Amino acid sequence: PLGALEPHGPHAPLKTDTLISLGICRRAAERLESDPDVRALVLPPLAYGVTRYGTAFPGAVSIGEATLRALVVEICGSLAAQGFARIVLVNNHLEPEHVQTLRKAAEELGAAVRLFDVTRKEIAAQLTDEFRSGAGHAGSYETSLVLADEPTLVHRERMQGLESKMIDMPAAIAAGQTDFIAMGMDRAYCGAPREATAEEGERTFEILTTLLVDLVREVATC
């Protein structure tokens, strides 16, 4: 599991991205427990990533691209030396520089190491309308996932008081806006957090888990 430490509005935890990755991995491992052909283990998460867009707010702790690449490559190398050659990197921190670094690291490591990348069209197409709109940072999509796994970490009173901010983050980034403030995210969120529910989170986890299990099985046969 991979994530980041960064602000997710006034209502959701700094470790939201990491929690989501852990939740998908745990569910996938549980589903594969009785599979006679695949034995899946979940490592502790790598909870820091390239996260510069939220630096105007407390809690954004970033590492550089070279550091992230080195960590991923060296951890995978250490695992391979112990016989764990087939690895799936599960990421839910979507800052472009972070995702690009992970893609390059996975390519460098070869076909036995794959990235579960929710920004890929074939995966994104199966997720919520909010996610596909590009307004998914600490909105209903991410907040629902946290509510499904760690509900005590969501400040519900604050969540209910937040207005919807349907900001297309990928479009803003393409236009050269590389921080939350410039994008209009003056409280470090976009989307509709007050619409979040644990039920939506469980539905999304079910989709993500199915997709991850399929990828794990694919990697297991390579």
Side-chain angles (χ1 to χ4, degrees), residues 59-105:
V61 181
S62 184
I63 60 175
E65 288 89 339
T67 302
L68 177 62
R69 178 211 155 271
L71 281 167
V72 170
V73 169
E74 291 184 26
I75 290 169
C76 289
S78 180
L79 289 166
Q82 298 175 62
F84 295 96
R86 294 177 175 86
I87 299 166
V88 177
L89 309 171
V90 179
N91 174 60
N92 283 276
H93 174 55
L94 309 183
E95 199 157 311
E97 293 80 3
H98 179 87
V99 174
Q100 289 160 11
T101 300
L102 293 178
R103 287 177 180 171
K104 289 176 183 175

Side-chain angles (χ1 to χ4, degrees), residues 21 35 58 70 86 89 93 96 112 120 130 155 193:
S21 292
D35 190 307
R86 294 177 175 86
L89 309 171
H93 174 55
R120 294 294 188 190
E130 183 192 83
H155 196 301

Side-chain angles (χ1 to χ4, degrees), residues 144-145 147-148 196-206:
S144 291
L145 288 164
L147 284 171
T197 65
E199 292 74 20
E200 178 189 313
E202 287 294 356
R203 288 192 298 270
T204 302
F205 266 130
E206 181 67 19

